[in-house]
Amino acid sequence: MSEVGRFAGRHVLAELHGIDPGLLDDAPRLGELLRAAVTEAGATVVDVVAKRFAPQGATVIALLAESHASVHTYPEHGSLFADVFTCGERADPEYAVRLLAKSLDAASVHLSVLHRGER
């Protein structure tokens, strides 16, 4: 079976802390950073949707050819939750989260990796 049709993937769930609250409230910038991270990690971005909430916070979702990536921010805590799932072997969701953490200058990163589907 080809890589594209393989029923397998990795799902990374992460919490990033110690991030500048102003950056966590900037939905367009977060969209750029998420797009850059998943692209560098080997994923193909189909679309990115970013929404800022009042009085603060944002959610950004990237639709990937390989599945999806998202972040939801809590500026009042200097933190965000990230969720990156990719199917196949080409894209590396853990690397994407680490790149995102670096671009946000996160003080700490806590992540879990789930292997889904066939191994």
Side-chain angles (χ1 to χ4, degrees):
M1 185 172 276
S2 70
E3 177 182 312
V4 172
R6 186 163 175 247
F7 181 66
R10 286 180 291 159
H11 201 156
V12 177
L13 304 173
E15 295 179 27
L16 284 58
H17 303 283
I19 303 167
D20 172 29
L23 183 53
L24 293 175
D25 227 13
D26 186 345
R29 181 70 179 134
L30 289 166
E32 294 168 4
L33 296 174
L34 183 60
R35 178 185 294 271
V38 296
T39 299
E40 188 171 333
T44 304
V45 178
V46 176
D47 198 7
V48 175
V49 176
K51 170 69 176 164
R52 185 186 180 283
F53 297 99
Q56 61 194 7
T59 295
V60 179
I61 301 171
L63 175 63
L64 308 176
E66 298 79 8
S67 193
H68 70 273
S70 67
V71 297
H72 188 77
T73 72
Y74 295 85
E76 68 275 24
H77 297 287
S79 301
L80 69 75
F81 292 121
D83 172 354
V84 182
F85 177 54
T86 61
C87 296
E89 300 297 324
R90 186 176 49 153
D92 184 340
E94 186 175 351
Y95 184 51
V97 170
R98 294 199 183 281
L99 288 169
L100 181 63
K102 182 177 180 180
S103 70
L104 294 168
D105 197 26
S108 67
V109 179
H110 304 280
L111 60 83
S112 299
V113 180
L114 303 170
H115 294 272
R116 301 179 70 186
E118 300 168 351
R119 293 187 195 196

mmCIF file of all heavy atoms in Angstrom, residues 50-105:
data_model
loop_
_atom_site.group_PDB
_atom_site.id
_atom_site.type_symbol
_atom_site.label_atom_id
_atom_site.label_comp_id
_atom_site.label_asym_id
_atom_site.label_seq_id
_atom_site.Cartn_x
_atom_site.Cartn_y
_atom_site.Cartn_z
ATOM 1 N N ALA A 50 -7.873 31.504 11.210
ATOM 2 C CA ALA A 50 -7.485 32.072 12.499
ATOM 3 C C ALA A 50 -8.615 32.949 13.019
ATOM 4 O O ALA A 50 -9.205 33.729 12.270
ATOM 5 C CB ALA A 50 -6.205 32.887 12.347
ATOM 6 N N LYS A 51 -8.900 32.809 14.313
ATOM 7 C CA LYS A 51 -9.972 33.580 14.938
ATOM 8 C C LYS A 51 -9.501 34.111 16.281
ATOM 9 O O LYS A 51 -9.040 33.356 17.131
ATOM 10 C CB LYS A 51 -11.197 32.675 15.135
ATOM 11 C CG LYS A 51 -12.296 33.251 15.976
ATOM 12 C CD LYS A 51 -13.004 34.396 15.303
ATOM 13 C CE LYS A 51 -14.178 34.877 16.192
ATOM 14 N NZ LYS A 51 -14.650 36.158 15.794
ATOM 15 N N ARG A 52 -9.603 35.434 16.451
ATOM 16 C CA ARG A 52 -9.305 36.061 17.743
ATOM 17 C C ARG A 52 -10.617 36.219 18.494
ATOM 18 O O ARG A 52 -11.645 36.534 17.913
ATOM 19 C CB ARG A 52 -8.650 37.422 17.562
ATOM 20 C CG ARG A 52 -8.240 38.014 18.898
ATOM 21 C CD ARG A 52 -7.704 39.431 18.781
ATOM 22 N NE ARG A 52 -7.343 39.940 20.080
ATOM 23 C CZ ARG A 52 -8.215 40.389 20.990
ATOM 24 N NH1 ARG A 52 -9.506 40.382 20.740
ATOM 25 N NH2 ARG A 52 -7.794 40.842 22.151
ATOM 26 N N PHE A 53 -10.566 35.980 19.798
ATOM 27 C CA PHE A 53 -11.750 36.090 20.632
ATOM 28 C C PHE A 53 -11.653 37.312 21.536
ATOM 29 O O PHE A 53 -10.576 37.758 21.883
ATOM 30 C CB PHE A 53 -11.921 34.816 21.481
ATOM 31 C CG PHE A 53 -12.145 33.602 20.640
ATOM 32 C CD1 PHE A 53 -11.099 32.739 20.345
ATOM 33 C CD2 PHE A 53 -13.407 33.323 20.122
ATOM 34 C CE1 PHE A 53 -11.304 31.627 19.556
ATOM 35 C CE2 PHE A 53 -13.619 32.208 19.328
ATOM 36 C CZ PHE A 53 -12.566 31.359 19.043
ATOM 37 N N ALA A 54 -12.817 37.839 21.938
ATOM 38 C CA ALA A 54 -12.856 38.956 22.876
ATOM 39 C C ALA A 54 -13.166 38.396 24.256
ATOM 40 O O ALA A 54 -13.999 37.514 24.380
ATOM 41 C CB ALA A 54 -13.925 39.952 22.455
ATOM 42 N N PRO A 55 -12.507 38.825 25.283
ATOM 43 C CA PRO A 55 -11.560 39.928 25.300
ATOM 44 C C PRO A 55 -10.137 39.515 24.919
ATOM 45 O O PRO A 55 -9.290 40.360 24.677
ATOM 46 C CB PRO A 55 -11.605 40.393 26.751
ATOM 47 C CG PRO A 55 -11.869 39.140 27.532
ATOM 48 C CD PRO A 55 -12.785 38.334 26.646
ATOM 49 N N GLN A 56 -9.864 38.207 24.855
ATOM 50 C CA GLN A 56 -8.501 37.768 24.521
ATOM 51 C C GLN A 56 -8.529 36.312 24.080
ATOM 52 O O GLN A 56 -9.478 35.599 24.295
ATOM 53 C CB GLN A 56 -7.583 37.926 25.729
ATOM 54 C CG GLN A 56 -8.005 37.106 26.924
ATOM 55 C CD GLN A 56 -7.296 37.517 28.188
ATOM 56 O OE1 GLN A 56 -6.574 38.488 28.226
ATOM 57 N NE2 GLN A 56 -7.508 36.762 29.248
ATOM 58 N N GLY A 57 -7.427 35.904 23.469
ATOM 59 C CA GLY A 57 -7.275 34.521 23.053
ATOM 60 C C GLY A 57 -7.538 34.331 21.576
ATOM 61 O O GLY A 57 -8.148 35.175 20.915
ATOM 62 N N ALA A 58 -7.065 33.208 21.065
ATOM 63 C CA ALA A 58 -7.217 32.906 19.645
ATOM 64 C C ALA A 58 -7.206 31.399 19.432
ATOM 65 O O ALA A 58 -6.641 30.653 20.233
ATOM 66 C CB ALA A 58 -6.081 33.552 18.845
ATOM 67 N N THR A 59 -7.835 31.001 18.341
ATOM 68 C CA THR A 59 -7.755 29.630 17.863
ATOM 69 C C THR A 59 -7.313 29.691 16.414
ATOM 70 O O THR A 59 -7.820 30.509 15.639
ATOM 71 C CB THR A 59 -9.113 28.907 17.967
ATOM 72 O OG1 THR A 59 -9.466 28.786 19.338
ATOM 73 C CG2 THR A 59 -9.049 27.515 17.356
ATOM 74 N N VAL A 60 -6.361 28.847 16.064
ATOM 75 C CA VAL A 60 -5.876 28.749 14.692
ATOM 76 C C VAL A 60 -5.927 27.283 14.299
ATOM 77 O O VAL A 60 -5.455 26.418 15.049
ATOM 78 C CB VAL A 60 -4.435 29.284 14.552
ATOM 79 C CG1 VAL A 60 -3.949 29.144 13.121
ATOM 80 C CG2 VAL A 60 -4.345 30.733 15.016
ATOM 81 N N ILE A 61 -6.502 27.022 13.135
ATOM 82 C CA ILE A 61 -6.596 25.651 12.629
ATOM 83 C C ILE A 61 -5.997 25.608 11.239
ATOM 84 O O ILE A 61 -6.342 26.414 10.367
ATOM 85 C CB ILE A 61 -8.058 25.174 12.588
ATOM 86 C CG1 ILE A 61 -8.668 25.222 13.979
ATOM 87 C CG2 ILE A 61 -8.139 23.767 11.991
ATOM 88 C CD1 ILE A 61 -10.147 24.968 14.014
ATOM 89 N N ALA A 62 -5.082 24.655 11.042
ATOM 90 C CA ALA A 62 -4.488 24.431 9.727
ATOM 91 C C ALA A 62 -5.003 23.096 9.194
ATOM 92 O O ALA A 62 -4.830 22.057 9.842
ATOM 93 C CB ALA A 62 -2.968 24.413 9.817
ATOM 94 N N LEU A 63 -5.660 23.151 8.053
ATOM 95 C CA LEU A 63 -6.077 21.941 7.357
ATOM 96 C C LEU A 63 -4.881 21.457 6.554
ATOM 97 O O LEU A 63 -4.314 22.215 5.751
ATOM 98 C CB LEU A 63 -7.257 22.251 6.431
ATOM 99 C CG LEU A 63 -7.734 21.123 5.537
ATOM 100 C CD1 LEU A 63 -8.263 19.966 6.370
ATOM 101 C CD2 LEU A 63 -8.806 21.648 4.582
ATOM 102 N N LEU A 64 -4.469 20.238 6.796
ATOM 103 C CA LEU A 64 -3.303 19.672 6.130
ATOM 104 C C LEU A 64 -3.733 18.559 5.181
ATOM 105 O O LEU A 64 -4.718 17.862 5.464
ATOM 106 C CB LEU A 64 -2.327 19.086 7.159
ATOM 107 C CG LEU A 64 -1.908 19.990 8.315
ATOM 108 C CD1 LEU A 64 -1.022 19.212 9.290
ATOM 109 C CD2 LEU A 64 -1.213 21.236 7.803
ATOM 110 N N ALA A 65 -2.997 18.355 4.126
ATOM 111 C CA ALA A 65 -3.249 17.197 3.269
ATOM 112 C C ALA A 65 -3.097 15.923 4.089
ATOM 113 O O ALA A 65 -3.772 14.925 3.831
ATOM 114 C CB ALA A 65 -2.291 17.204 2.079
ATOM 115 N N GLU A 66 -2.252 15.985 5.115
ATOM 116 C CA GLU A 66 -1.981 14.832 5.976
ATOM 117 C C GLU A 66 -2.937 14.742 7.163
ATOM 118 O O GLU A 66 -2.943 13.754 7.869
ATOM 119 C CB GLU A 66 -0.539 14.888 6.501
ATOM 120 C CG GLU A 66 0.517 14.836 5.424
ATOM 121 C CD GLU A 66 0.753 16.167 4.707
ATOM 122 O OE1 GLU A 66 0.211 17.216 5.133
ATOM 123 O OE2 GLU A 66 1.477 16.148 3.696
ATOM 124 N N SER A 67 -3.718 15.770 7.465
ATOM 125 C CA SER A 67 -4.758 15.811 8.485
ATOM 126 C C SER A 67 -4.935 17.235 8.999
ATOM 127 O O SER A 67 -5.472 18.064 8.295
ATOM 128 C CB SER A 67 -4.533 14.832 9.638
ATOM 129 O OG SER A 67 -5.735 14.732 10.394
ATOM 130 N N HIS A 68 -4.460 17.566 10.241
ATOM 131 C CA HIS A 68 -4.731 18.894 10.786
ATOM 132 C C HIS A 68 -3.713 19.305 11.845
ATOM 133 O O HIS A 68 -3.006 18.471 12.405
ATOM 134 C CB HIS A 68 -6.127 18.945 11.423
ATOM 135 C CG HIS A 68 -6.221 18.150 12.693
ATOM 136 N ND1 HIS A 68 -6.519 16.810 12.705
ATOM 137 C CD2 HIS A 68 -6.034 18.503 13.977
ATOM 138 C CE1 HIS A 68 -6.521 16.376 13.959
ATOM 139 N NE2 HIS A 68 -6.227 17.382 14.754
ATOM 140 N N ALA A 69 -3.714 20.608 12.134
ATOM 141 C CA ALA A 69 -2.931 21.171 13.243
ATOM 142 C C ALA A 69 -3.749 22.315 13.812
ATOM 143 O O ALA A 69 -4.414 23.039 13.071
ATOM 144 C CB ALA A 69 -1.578 21.675 12.755
ATOM 145 N N SER A 70 -3.712 22.470 15.123
ATOM 146 C CA SER A 70 -4.455 23.570 15.727
ATOM 147 C C SER A 70 -3.760 24.071 16.983
ATOM 148 O O SER A 70 -3.000 23.342 17.620
ATOM 149 C CB SER A 70 -5.888 23.141 16.067
ATOM 150 O OG SER A 70 -5.890 22.177 17.087
ATOM 151 N N VAL A 71 -4.041 25.327 17.313
ATOM 152 C CA VAL A 71 -3.606 25.906 18.578
ATOM 153 C C VAL A 71 -4.769 26.699 19.152
ATOM 154 O O VAL A 71 -5.564 27.283 18.422
ATOM 155 C CB VAL A 71 -2.360 26.814 18.456
ATOM 156 C CG1 VAL A 71 -1.155 26.027 17.973
ATOM 157 C CG2 VAL A 71 -2.611 28.007 17.575
ATOM 158 N N HIS A 72 -4.859 26.686 20.468
ATOM 159 C CA HIS A 72 -5.838 27.509 21.187
ATOM 160 C C HIS A 72 -5.072 28.188 22.310
ATOM 161 O O HIS A 72 -4.405 27.515 23.099
ATOM 162 C CB HIS A 72 -6.992 26.670 21.741
ATOM 163 C CG HIS A 72 -8.077 27.514 22.303
ATOM 164 N ND1 HIS A 72 -8.986 28.168 21.504
ATOM 165 C CD2 HIS A 72 -8.379 27.844 23.578
ATOM 166 C CE1 HIS A 72 -9.818 28.852 22.273
ATOM 167 N NE2 HIS A 72 -9.463 28.684 23.537
ATOM 168 N N THR A 73 -5.169 29.518 22.374
ATOM 169 C CA THR A 73 -4.312 30.275 23.283
ATOM 170 C C THR A 73 -5.039 30.803 24.508
ATOM 171 O O THR A 73 -6.244 31.046 24.492
ATOM 172 C CB THR A 73 -3.658 31.468 22.565
ATOM 173 O OG1 THR A 73 -4.634 32.474 22.313
ATOM 174 C CG2 THR A 73 -2.996 31.043 21.261
ATOM 175 N N TYR A 74 -4.242 31.008 25.548
ATOM 176 C CA TYR A 74 -4.681 31.596 26.812
ATOM 177 C C TYR A 74 -3.671 32.673 27.190
ATOM 178 O O TYR A 74 -2.756 32.436 27.993
ATOM 179 C CB TYR A 74 -4.766 30.522 27.898
ATOM 180 C CG TYR A 74 -5.821 29.490 27.595
ATOM 181 C CD1 TYR A 74 -5.535 28.398 26.790
ATOM 182 C CD2 TYR A 74 -7.114 29.642 28.087
ATOM 183 C CE1 TYR A 74 -6.523 27.466 26.486
ATOM 184 C CE2 TYR A 74 -8.100 28.706 27.795
ATOM 185 C CZ TYR A 74 -7.794 27.630 26.990
ATOM 186 O OH TYR A 74 -8.760 26.721 26.686
ATOM 187 N N PRO A 75 -3.793 33.876 26.594
ATOM 188 C CA PRO A 75 -2.830 34.936 26.876
ATOM 189 C C PRO A 75 -2.701 35.256 28.358
ATOM 190 O O PRO A 75 -1.607 35.572 28.838
ATOM 191 C CB PRO A 75 -3.373 36.136 26.097
ATOM 192 C CG PRO A 75 -4.203 35.536 25.016
ATOM 193 C CD PRO A 75 -4.792 34.294 25.621
ATOM 194 N N GLU A 76 -3.811 35.173 29.093
ATOM 195 C CA GLU A 76 -3.784 35.499 30.514
ATOM 196 C C GLU A 76 -2.909 34.542 31.315
ATOM 197 O O GLU A 76 -2.504 34.842 32.435
ATOM 198 C CB GLU A 76 -5.214 35.533 31.087
ATOM 199 C CG GLU A 76 -5.919 34.195 31.141
ATOM 200 C CD GLU A 76 -6.642 33.765 29.864
ATOM 201 O OE1 GLU A 76 -6.285 34.230 28.755
ATOM 202 O OE2 GLU A 76 -7.567 32.942 29.976
ATOM 203 N N HIS A 77 -2.589 33.387 30.726
ATOM 204 C CA HIS A 77 -1.706 32.411 31.366
ATOM 205 C C HIS A 77 -0.366 32.278 30.633
ATOM 206 O O HIS A 77 0.488 31.504 31.062
ATOM 207 C CB HIS A 77 -2.371 31.035 31.418
ATOM 208 C CG HIS A 77 -3.618 31.005 32.232
ATOM 209 N ND1 HIS A 77 -3.613 31.060 33.606
ATOM 210 C CD2 HIS A 77 -4.923 30.961 31.855
ATOM 211 C CE1 HIS A 77 -4.862 31.033 34.046
ATOM 212 N NE2 HIS A 77 -5.676 30.984 33.011
ATOM 213 N N GLY A 78 -0.203 32.978 29.504
ATOM 214 C CA GLY A 78 1.017 32.857 28.712
ATOM 215 C C GLY A 78 1.173 31.463 28.131
ATOM 216 O O GLY A 78 2.292 30.998 27.945
ATOM 217 N N SER A 79 0.043 30.823 27.806
ATOM 218 C CA SER A 79 0.078 29.411 27.409
ATOM 219 C C SER A 79 -0.815 29.127 26.214
ATOM 220 O O SER A 79 -1.715 29.900 25.888
ATOM 221 C CB SER A 79 -0.387 28.529 28.578
ATOM 222 O OG SER A 79 0.427 28.721 29.709
ATOM 223 N N LEU A 80 -0.562 27.965 25.601
ATOM 224 C CA LEU A 80 -1.450 27.487 24.543
ATOM 225 C C LEU A 80 -1.472 25.970 24.530
ATOM 226 O O LEU A 80 -0.543 25.307 25.009
ATOM 227 C CB LEU A 80 -1.063 28.047 23.174
ATOM 228 C CG LEU A 80 0.227 27.636 22.462
ATOM 229 C CD1 LEU A 80 0.160 26.242 21.867
ATOM 230 C CD2 LEU A 80 0.516 28.620 21.354
ATOM 231 N N PHE A 81 -2.561 25.454 23.989
ATOM 232 C CA PHE A 81 -2.678 24.026 23.698
ATOM 233 C C PHE A 81 -2.462 23.847 22.204
ATOM 234 O O PHE A 81 -2.998 24.618 21.405
ATOM 235 C CB PHE A 81 -4.070 23.494 24.052
ATOM 236 C CG PHE A 81 -4.373 23.465 25.520
ATOM 237 C CD1 PHE A 81 -5.454 24.169 26.025
ATOM 238 C CD2 PHE A 81 -3.598 22.724 26.394
ATOM 239 C CE1 PHE A 81 -5.754 24.136 27.376
ATOM 240 C CE2 PHE A 81 -3.884 22.686 27.750
ATOM 241 C CZ PHE A 81 -4.969 23.392 28.242
ATOM 242 N N ALA A 82 -1.701 22.841 21.823
ATOM 243 C CA ALA A 82 -1.485 22.519 20.414
ATOM 244 C C ALA A 82 -1.890 21.077 20.159
ATOM 245 O O ALA A 82 -1.751 20.218 21.038
ATOM 246 C CB ALA A 82 -0.012 22.725 20.032
ATOM 247 N N ASP A 83 -2.372 20.824 18.960
ATOM 248 C CA ASP A 83 -2.832 19.516 18.537
ATOM 249 C C ASP A 83 -2.402 19.355 17.081
ATOM 250 O O ASP A 83 -2.855 20.113 16.223
ATOM 251 C CB ASP A 83 -4.360 19.491 18.666
ATOM 252 C CG ASP A 83 -5.026 18.262 18.082
ATOM 253 O OD1 ASP A 83 -4.357 17.426 17.460
ATOM 254 O OD2 ASP A 83 -6.256 18.146 18.240
ATOM 255 N N VAL A 84 -1.503 18.400 16.811
ATOM 256 C CA VAL A 84 -1.046 18.174 15.442
ATOM 257 C C VAL A 84 -1.146 16.690 15.139
ATOM 258 O O VAL A 84 -0.531 15.869 15.827
ATOM 259 C CB VAL A 84 0.411 18.664 15.221
ATOM 260 C CG1 VAL A 84 0.828 18.457 13.761
ATOM 261 C CG2 VAL A 84 0.566 20.117 15.623
ATOM 262 N N PHE A 85 -1.927 16.355 14.113
ATOM 263 C CA PHE A 85 -2.086 14.962 13.696
ATOM 264 C C PHE A 85 -1.716 14.854 12.226
ATOM 265 O O PHE A 85 -2.218 15.621 11.400
ATOM 266 C CB PHE A 85 -3.526 14.494 13.906
ATOM 267 C CG PHE A 85 -3.769 13.089 13.425
ATOM 268 C CD1 PHE A 85 -2.983 12.036 13.873
ATOM 269 C CD2 PHE A 85 -4.774 12.810 12.530
ATOM 270 C CE1 PHE A 85 -3.205 10.734 13.436
ATOM 271 C CE2 PHE A 85 -5.015 11.517 12.084
ATOM 272 C CZ PHE A 85 -4.228 10.476 12.545
ATOM 273 N N THR A 86 -0.825 13.926 11.915
ATOM 274 C CA THR A 86 -0.462 13.685 10.523
ATOM 275 C C THR A 86 -0.488 12.193 10.234
ATOM 276 O O THR A 86 -0.079 11.377 11.055
ATOM 277 C CB THR A 86 0.939 14.235 10.172
ATOM 278 O OG1 THR A 86 1.925 13.591 10.971
ATOM 279 C CG2 THR A 86 1.009 15.739 10.374
ATOM 280 N N CYS A 87 -1.004 11.863 9.064
ATOM 281 C CA CYS A 87 -1.008 10.485 8.580
ATOM 282 C C CYS A 87 0.230 10.274 7.712
ATOM 283 O O CYS A 87 0.774 11.219 7.154
ATOM 284 C CB CYS A 87 -2.254 10.221 7.739
ATOM 285 S SG CYS A 87 -3.770 10.362 8.676
ATOM 286 N N GLY A 88 0.631 9.016 7.584
ATOM 287 C CA GLY A 88 1.783 8.704 6.739
ATOM 288 C C GLY A 88 3.091 8.953 7.465
ATOM 289 O O GLY A 88 3.122 9.240 8.659
ATOM 290 N N GLU A 89 4.167 8.854 6.711
ATOM 291 C CA GLU A 89 5.508 8.954 7.295
ATOM 292 C C GLU A 89 6.245 10.245 6.946
ATOM 293 O O GLU A 89 7.256 10.554 7.540
ATOM 294 C CB GLU A 89 6.364 7.766 6.815
ATOM 295 C CG GLU A 89 5.811 6.412 7.209
ATOM 296 C CD GLU A 89 5.773 6.219 8.716
ATOM 297 O OE1 GLU A 89 6.694 6.702 9.398
ATOM 298 O OE2 GLU A 89 4.808 5.596 9.199
ATOM 299 N N ARG A 90 5.735 11.005 5.979
ATOM 300 C CA ARG A 90 6.476 12.160 5.481
ATOM 301 C C ARG A 90 6.528 13.312 6.482
ATOM 302 O O ARG A 90 7.585 13.872 6.740
ATOM 303 C CB ARG A 90 5.870 12.629 4.167
ATOM 304 C CG ARG A 90 6.656 13.722 3.496
ATOM 305 C CD ARG A 90 6.060 14.072 2.182
ATOM 306 N NE ARG A 90 4.626 14.279 2.366
ATOM 307 C CZ ARG A 90 3.886 15.052 1.610
ATOM 308 N NH1 ARG A 90 4.416 15.673 0.610
ATOM 309 N NH2 ARG A 90 2.612 15.197 1.832
ATOM 310 N N ALA A 91 5.400 13.681 7.056
ATOM 311 C CA ALA A 91 5.359 14.814 7.988
ATOM 312 C C ALA A 91 5.644 14.343 9.409
ATOM 313 O O ALA A 91 5.276 13.236 9.798
ATOM 314 C CB ALA A 91 3.993 15.486 7.924
ATOM 315 N N ASP A 92 6.297 15.192 10.191
ATOM 316 C CA ASP A 92 6.673 14.858 11.563
ATOM 317 C C ASP A 92 5.966 15.830 12.515
ATOM 318 O O ASP A 92 6.431 16.959 12.724
ATOM 319 C CB ASP A 92 8.189 14.955 11.719
ATOM 320 C CG ASP A 92 8.677 14.532 13.087
ATOM 321 O OD1 ASP A 92 7.872 14.513 14.048
ATOM 322 O OD2 ASP A 92 9.880 14.235 13.204
ATOM 323 N N PRO A 93 4.842 15.405 13.113
ATOM 324 C CA PRO A 93 4.084 16.323 13.963
ATOM 325 C C PRO A 93 4.822 16.746 15.228
ATOM 326 O O PRO A 93 4.638 17.871 15.705
ATOM 327 C CB PRO A 93 2.812 15.539 14.287
ATOM 328 C CG PRO A 93 3.210 14.111 14.148
ATOM 329 C CD PRO A 93 4.227 14.080 13.043
ATOM 330 N N GLU A 94 5.656 15.889 15.779
ATOM 331 C CA GLU A 94 6.416 16.268 16.973
ATOM 332 C C GLU A 94 7.405 17.381 16.639
ATOM 333 O O GLU A 94 7.548 18.357 17.378
ATOM 334 C CB GLU A 94 7.143 15.064 17.555
ATOM 335 C CG GLU A 94 7.823 15.370 18.867
ATOM 336 C CD GLU A 94 8.454 14.150 19.517
ATOM 337 O OE1 GLU A 94 8.246 13.019 19.057
ATOM 338 O OE2 GLU A 94 9.164 14.350 20.513
ATOM 339 N N TYR A 95 8.061 17.252 15.499
ATOM 340 C CA TYR A 95 8.986 18.286 15.049
ATOM 341 C C TYR A 95 8.225 19.596 14.805
ATOM 342 O O TYR A 95 8.712 20.684 15.155
ATOM 343 C CB TYR A 95 9.712 17.823 13.791
ATOM 344 C CG TYR A 95 10.757 18.765 13.270
ATOM 345 C CD1 TYR A 95 11.754 19.276 14.092
ATOM 346 C CD2 TYR A 95 10.768 19.134 11.926
ATOM 347 C CE1 TYR A 95 12.730 20.138 13.604
ATOM 348 C CE2 TYR A 95 11.737 19.996 11.424
ATOM 349 C CZ TYR A 95 12.709 20.498 12.264
ATOM 350 O OH TYR A 95 13.657 21.350 11.769
ATOM 351 N N ALA A 96 7.019 19.516 14.251
ATOM 352 C CA ALA A 96 6.208 20.715 14.017
ATOM 353 C C ALA A 96 5.928 21.442 15.324
ATOM 354 O O ALA A 96 6.056 22.667 15.405
ATOM 355 C CB ALA A 96 4.903 20.343 13.314
ATOM 356 N N VAL A 97 5.566 20.705 16.362
ATOM 357 C CA VAL A 97 5.283 21.330 17.659
ATOM 358 C C VAL A 97 6.548 21.946 18.239
ATOM 359 O O VAL A 97 6.522 23.058 18.774
ATOM 360 C CB VAL A 97 4.656 20.315 18.637
ATOM 361 C CG1 VAL A 97 4.594 20.883 20.051
ATOM 362 C CG2 VAL A 97 3.267 19.911 18.159
ATOM 363 N N ARG A 98 7.664 21.265 18.110
ATOM 364 C CA ARG A 98 8.917 21.816 18.640
ATOM 365 C C ARG A 98 9.326 23.086 17.882
ATOM 366 O O ARG A 98 9.825 24.041 18.483
ATOM 367 C CB ARG A 98 10.012 20.762 18.615
ATOM 368 C CG ARG A 98 9.689 19.615 19.583
ATOM 369 C CD ARG A 98 10.879 18.790 19.964
ATOM 370 N NE ARG A 98 10.504 17.682 20.813
ATOM 371 C CZ ARG A 98 10.258 17.755 22.114
ATOM 372 N NH1 ARG A 98 10.329 18.910 22.732
ATOM 373 N NH2 ARG A 98 9.936 16.669 22.811
ATOM 374 N N LEU A 99 9.109 23.099 16.561
ATOM 375 C CA LEU A 99 9.388 24.311 15.785
ATOM 376 C C LEU A 99 8.474 25.454 16.212
ATOM 377 O O LEU A 99 8.919 26.604 16.336
ATOM 378 C CB LEU A 99 9.207 24.031 14.289
ATOM 379 C CG LEU A 99 10.259 23.162 13.630
ATOM 380 C CD1 LEU A 99 9.808 22.762 12.224
ATOM 381 C CD2 LEU A 99 11.598 23.890 13.565
ATOM 382 N N LEU A 100 7.203 25.147 16.417
ATOM 383 C CA LEU A 100 6.262 26.162 16.866
ATOM 384 C C LEU A 100 6.681 26.714 18.227
ATOM 385 O O LEU A 100 6.691 27.931 18.439
ATOM 386 C CB LEU A 100 4.846 25.578 16.932
ATOM 387 C CG LEU A 100 3.751 26.546 17.363
ATOM 388 C CD1 LEU A 100 3.607 27.693 16.364
ATOM 389 C CD2 LEU A 100 2.438 25.802 17.537
ATOM 390 N N ALA A 101 7.049 25.838 19.137
ATOM 391 C CA ALA A 101 7.491 26.268 20.467
ATOM 392 C C ALA A 101 8.707 27.192 20.365
ATOM 393 O O ALA A 101 8.779 28.210 21.062
ATOM 394 C CB ALA A 101 7.809 25.054 21.334
ATOM 395 N N LYS A 102 9.620 26.843 19.495
ATOM 396 C CA LYS A 102 10.819 27.673 19.310
ATOM 397 C C LYS A 102 10.440 29.047 18.748
ATOM 398 O O LYS A 102 10.929 30.077 19.215
ATOM 399 C CB LYS A 102 11.812 26.968 18.393
ATOM 400 C CG LYS A 102 13.096 27.725 18.197
ATOM 401 C CD LYS A 102 14.072 26.960 17.345
ATOM 402 C CE LYS A 102 15.346 27.768 17.169
ATOM 403 N NZ LYS A 102 16.334 27.072 16.338
ATOM 404 N N SER A 103 9.541 29.066 17.760
ATOM 405 C CA SER A 103 9.161 30.343 17.146
ATOM 406 C C SER A 103 8.387 31.230 18.119
ATOM 407 O O SER A 103 8.392 32.452 17.980
ATOM 408 C CB SER A 103 8.341 30.108 15.875
ATOM 409 O OG SER A 103 7.061 29.602 16.171
ATOM 410 N N LEU A 104 7.731 30.620 19.115
ATOM 411 C CA LEU A 104 7.006 31.368 20.135
ATOM 412 C C LEU A 104 7.870 31.676 21.350
ATOM 413 O O LEU A 104 7.422 32.336 22.277
ATOM 414 C CB LEU A 104 5.772 30.578 20.591
ATOM 415 C CG LEU A 104 4.678 30.379 19.545
ATOM 416 C CD1 LEU A 104 3.678 29.341 20.021
ATOM 417 C CD2 LEU A 104 3.998 31.697 19.245
ATOM 418 N N ASP A 105 9.107 31.178 21.352
ATOM 419 C CA ASP A 105 10.030 31.342 22.473
ATOM 420 C C ASP A 105 9.401 30.836 23.769
ATOM 421 O O ASP A 105 9.478 31.490 24.824
ATOM 422 C CB ASP A 105 10.465 32.810 22.597
ATOM 423 C CG ASP A 105 11.716 32.972 23.456
ATOM 424 O OD1 ASP A 105 12.514 32.012 23.546
ATOM 425 O OD2 ASP A 105 11.879 34.055 24.050
#
